[in-house]
Amino acid sequence: MGLFLHAVLFPGGEEERCRQALGRCAADPLLGLRPAECRWRQCARGPAALLNDGFTGPELLAARMSFGLEDPLMVLFIYDGDFWGYFLWQKGAELDRFASQPDYFSPGNPPAEAGDARAVGRAFSKTPALLQNYLAPWRPEKAGRRAYAGDGAPAGDCWQMADFMGALGFDYNSFQMERPAEGAVFPEDKPPKLEYQQEDWLRRGPAEPEDTPELPNALNDREYAWTRARLLGPAGEELRGLLKEGCYQQGVDWLTKALQTQPEEPSLYLLRAFCWAQMEGSGQGRSRKPEMDRDLTQALEQEPDNVWILRARCPTAATSARYRRHIQDLTRLIELDPENQDIYLVSRAYRLHWSGNDDGARQDLELVLDHGNLWTVDLTYLCNQLRLGL
């Protein structure tokens, strides 16, 4: 699932004025801002807000709010779980901006420019030397390195943003410590642990829900990839050697060349998607999720009922435009793989909820609860969001 997250920091700000400034921006429907679903915290350096799911337009929001406030403000974002960045404004003027993954959308967009540690330090009354390591664009040679000792996330991990917030005096984890207010929405891949009421439906499972099991699929299972590579016969011997040695970029090159003469061979597309997935998040440049998605789709055209490919295709590009296709894939998986139907039902309920079909989402969740076999964080989180059992 893709993660789109936005937070606003108001160093030195007065909370009520900051709330009012944010509320005024809700009049613009293009932003998708719903103040009642935003969560506020008073942190060491000032108030902060975690914005509602579905919000768009961090740069526009930063600019508009800055006209009504004396103190600086920073709008931080995580884009599709791939990279993070911010916009820093004060009194109608941009002070700085930063994006950790250059060239993500196209060459020069975002630009490969470091953030201005001095400008940020002045805005937050922090020493620039304690911030500048966060503000270097991600490069392959820095993959896996943490900006400072004690950080939780390295370069290449979008949750480096939380470490940066901590360095500024704003604790991201404080947003996850309490039961959310009615209507609050959280990032889907890190839902909070909630203090649930002990209703009958909650007694179906253990006291603490478990993480949703990750089913093996065409992108994460090496044995399956090896099996598909063997199907290529003697012609695939070189590829099998590359996979064995972990030479995935060379594997992509080999497969791309092979597809020029065998464009209808599903294993070639599937194995190229597998190679892209192994390089994801390892400092190999921009995200290859679009390429993975296209290759998996090509393989499915030849093998439309392949459970391994259907499982893999759902989370590779989790944008609103693809929810309908995800729902179709999960519906087919429920038919093809009934042993894991409860996991698919919860995943489908997420997509239905995001698409505005809460009635359909509740029906799926009620089926899972009636079966009484699955008890996960995702299930309990969605049930609370949709008020099932309350």
Side-chain angles (χ1 to χ4, degrees), residues 122-185:
R122 286 193 297 269
F124 287 83
S125 300
K126 290 290 184 177
T127 303
L130 301 179
L131 305 173
Q132 60 188 12
N133 290 358
Y134 295 112
L135 305 185
W138 291 340
R139 295 299 185 191
E141 62 271 16
K142 294 185 178 295
R145 297 183 186 178
R146 286 168 170 75
Y148 295 94
D151 281 356
D157 186 334
C158 66
W159 285 106
Q160 188 182 61
M161 187 192 80
D163 294 317
F164 177 61
M165 286 178 59
L168 296 177
F170 292 80
D171 182 11
Y172 174 81
N173 290 327
S174 68
F175 287 107
Q176 312 286 8
M177 291 174 62
E178 300 175 9
R179 182 169 181 163
E182 183 177 327
V185 180

Side-chain angles (χ1 to χ4, degrees), residues 319-338:
T319 60
S320 57
R322 288 190 169 91
Y323 291 159
R324 180 176 298 178
R325 193 193 72 183
H326 287 189
I327 291 169
Q328 293 172 347
D329 286 354
L330 289 162
T331 300
R332 188 62 181 139
L333 280 167
I334 291 168
E335 300 170 358
L336 296 171
D337 186 23

Side-chain angles (χ1 to χ4, degrees), residues 77 83 98-113:
F77 62 87
F83 69 98
F98 173 69
S100 64
Q101 183 63 71
D103 307 324
Y104 181 85
F105 299 104
S106 61
N109 183 21
E113 297 179 1

Side-chain angles (χ1 to χ4, degrees), residues 192-235:
K193 293 184 178 181
L194 306 178
E195 303 269 343
Y196 297 103
Q197 296 181 16
Q198 293 300 312
E199 303 289 345
D200 289 342
W201 66 274
L202 289 171
R203 299 192 181 99
R204 297 174 184 267
E208 289 293 330
E210 301 174 349
D211 290 335
T212 300
E214 182 179 13
L215 298 174
N217 63 55
L219 295 181
N220 67 18
D221 194 281
R222 296 177 185 274
E223 187 61 35
Y224 181 73
W226 187 253
T227 299
R228 294 301 298 244
R230 285 203 300 266
L231 294 178
L232 299 176

Side-chain angles (χ1 to χ4, degrees), residues 41 56 77 96 107 114 146 189 246 249-250 253 347 351 377 389:
R41 287 290 181 272
T56 58
F77 62 87
D96 191 34
R146 286 168 170 75
D189 70 340
Q249 180 59 63
Q250 293 92 321
D253 297 339
S347 294
R351 272 69 173 190
V377 171

Side-chain angles (χ1 to χ4, degrees), residues 17-35:
R17 290 184 179 178
C18 297
R19 284 179 178 266
Q20 292 173 0
L22 185 68
R24 287 192 292 270
C25 294
D28 186 346
L30 294 177
L31 292 174
L33 183 65
R34 297 186 293 276

